[in-house]
Amino acid sequence: MDRVESLANQIFEDYKDYGVDRKEIVEKLRKLLIEFRVPENEAVRTIRNYIIREYGAPATVRRERITKIEEIKEPNKWVTVKAKVIQLWESSSPSIAQVGLIGDETGYIRFLVWTKAKKQPVDEGKSYIFRNVVVDDYGGVLRLNVTKISEIEEIEEGVKVKPPEELSEDVEVVGALVAIQQNSGLIQRCSVEGCNRVIKMGKCPEHGKTKAKDDLRIKGVLDDGYRTYEVIINEEGVESLTGINLEKAKKIAEETLDRGAVLTELKKMLLGKYLRVVGTATPRYLIAKHVEFFRPDIRKEIEKVKALLEEV
Ligand SMILES: [Zn+2]
């Protein structure tokens, strides 16, 4: 792209909503700059005045570069995004007023509104322009931070969002397992092909009374200090953490004549423990693909101390 085109593009971006023709801008600008050797800033001003006159555009336009969510790839950048609030989560820290997930047609990103920012709360399902928000990296996950100098403007137009099925990126969360829900442990699922729903009170919500098959899972709440996640850990994950697989769980239930004994056992082993979970974050759940107890890397710390001692 040559200089004329890039100048023309800037003008076009500012006035494209007023029906201006990009080609016309390029031609006029080229004429002024090359044929008449008008200085650059004067040529640009001439074109702007022409557009204001001919197209009834306002004399001042707000320059705004909207960043698409998929373009957000690194921390410490200030951006403005136009997005819909997909979901709000429960904040687990008094310094955070709101936390959740926003999305546009290109992707999703977590966002948080700091209490100190003193912003009007946003609503789920509504669309906003989030101006001057800063990207940070929290445990490998990028987030948008709404601070005091940010601006949130509600907009009428509903922002289209990418369907959640297309969400496939794995996230990593380190947090404490602060709750394990009652429908965890040795559960029963509907055996109708393709259903797999959890059976409650002997019934599948879709198929009523059906043949049940056993399964082992944990549905719990993981708190990373900033927000809580509803985490789902499947049999494989439960086994890697506790050594209890489906067979063992059934045995525990048989021996105690109590299916609930499995849940009691799992709670004893896992509640309050720090876990590192890698998995898929859907708007509602964090579905664990890999889970382990979290231990800070002590070896690295020891190496650091050793190095320090050697220097001394
Ligand atoms: Zn069913």
Side-chain angles (χ1 to χ4, degrees):
M1 199 191 299
D2 68 11
R3 182 71 190 151
V4 177
E5 293 224 6
S6 86
L7 284 171
N9 273 349
Q10 282 173 25
I11 300 173
F12 178 69
E13 281 301 312
D14 285 349
Y15 295 105
K16 63 182 175 192
D17 293 342
Y18 298 93
V20 298
D21 179 11
R22 197 183 155 279
K23 251 172 77 186
E24 185 192 7
I25 299 173
V26 175
E27 277 162 20
K28 283 193 187 304
L29 202 55
R30 204 179 288 285
K31 202 175 232 174
L32 287 171
L33 289 171
I34 294 163
E35 220 171 289
F36 298 107
R37 300 189 168 274
V38 174
E40 214 174 83
N41 53 3
E42 203 175 304
V44 169
R45 194 165 53 231
T46 304
I47 302 283
R48 285 185 187 276
N49 286 337
Y50 165 78
I51 292 169
I52 291 162
R53 207 171 53 236
E54 291 297 313
Y55 292 89
T60 51
V61 282
R62 182 168 200 162
R63 272 228 131 124
E64 189 154 69
R65 156 111 175 85
I66 304 273
T67 301
K68 295 288 178 206
I69 287 175
E70 69 174 358
E71 294 171 344
I72 301 171
K73 297 223 163 81
E74 49 187 331
N76 307 321
K77 289 252 153 70
W78 291 84
V79 294
T80 291
V81 299
K82 197 197 264 186
K84 184 188 229 167
V85 177
I86 310 289
Q87 204 173 38
L88 292 170
W89 297 317
E90 205 176 315
S91 158
S92 60
S93 160
S95 58
I96 296 167
Q98 285 192 299
V99 57
L101 193 71
I102 56 172
D104 66 11
E105 69 277 18
T106 69
Y108 297 82
I109 193 163
R110 297 173 203 203
F111 82 105
L112 48 137
V113 183
W114 293 93
T115 307
K116 275 190 179 160
K118 295 204 176 82
K119 300 295 176 203
Q120 281 279 98
V122 296
D123 293 324
E124 259 177 32
K126 287 190 179 167
S127 297
Y128 301 86
I129 295 178
F130 295 86
R131 290 195 179 88
N132 293 323
V133 289
V134 63
V135 185
D136 78 340
D137 178 329
Y138 186 71
V141 178
L142 295 178
R143 313 179 302 182
L144 290 182
N145 291 259
V146 176
T147 69
K148 220 181 275 179
I149 65 162
S150 310
E151 202 182 290
I152 305 176
E153 183 197 335
E154 188 182 339
I155 50 173
E156 287 296 317
E157 98 182 74
V159 172
K160 272 208 195 94
V161 295
K162 201 173 177 176
E165 305 86 79
E166 289 176 29
L167 257 184
S168 58
E169 263 169 73
D170 282 353
V171 296
E172 182 188 326
V173 179
V174 171
L177 191 65
V178 293
I180 295 179
Q181 279 146 20
Q182 212 47 42
N183 51 0
S184 299
L186 186 58
I187 57 160
Q188 291 189 307
R189 292 187 185 277
C190 174
S191 62
V192 172
E193 214 186 298
C195 177
N196 218 33
R197 287 181 176 81
V198 174
I199 289 180
K200 287 170 203 154
M201 318 282 277
K203 279 182 186 165
C204 164
E206 184 72 28
H207 301 102
K209 276 208 155 101
T210 56
K211 238 185 91 195
K213 55 181 180 189
D214 287 316
D215 193 13
L216 183 65
R217 68 117 182 239
I218 283 170
K219 204 170 161 195
V221 178
L222 199 65
D223 186 338
D224 71 358
Y226 282 91
R227 59 159 287 207
T228 55
Y229 297 80
E230 279 193 75
V231 64
I232 294 177
I233 303 170
N234 65 9
E235 187 204 344
E236 204 182 314
V238 173
E239 184 179 10
S240 77
L241 288 172
T242 64
I244 298 173
N245 58 15
L246 186 55
E247 284 316 303
K248 266 198 190 161
K250 281 194 209 166
K251 216 174 229 169
I252 294 171
E254 276 164 26
E255 282 166 4
T256 57
L257 300 173
D258 177 14
R259 294 177 69 88
V262 176
L263 180 55
T264 309
E265 195 59 32
L266 293 179
K267 279 184 174 172
K268 249 191 255 167
M269 297 168 94
L270 297 174
L271 258 186
K273 294 281 163 38
Y274 273 84
L275 303 179
R276 178 178 163 268
V277 177
V278 178
T280 311
T282 72
R284 173 117 196 240
Y285 295 111
L286 172 64
I287 300 163
K289 287 182 184 164
H290 173 83
V291 55
E292 62 188 23
F293 287 110
F294 176 72
R295 295 179 192 87
D297 196 341
I298 291 169
R299 217 178 33 210
K300 263 191 204 156
E301 294 302 313
I302 291 174
E303 290 302 318
K304 259 192 235 164
V305 173
K306 263 191 186 164
L308 270 177
L309 286 177
E310 269 164 28
E311 273 176 36
V312 176

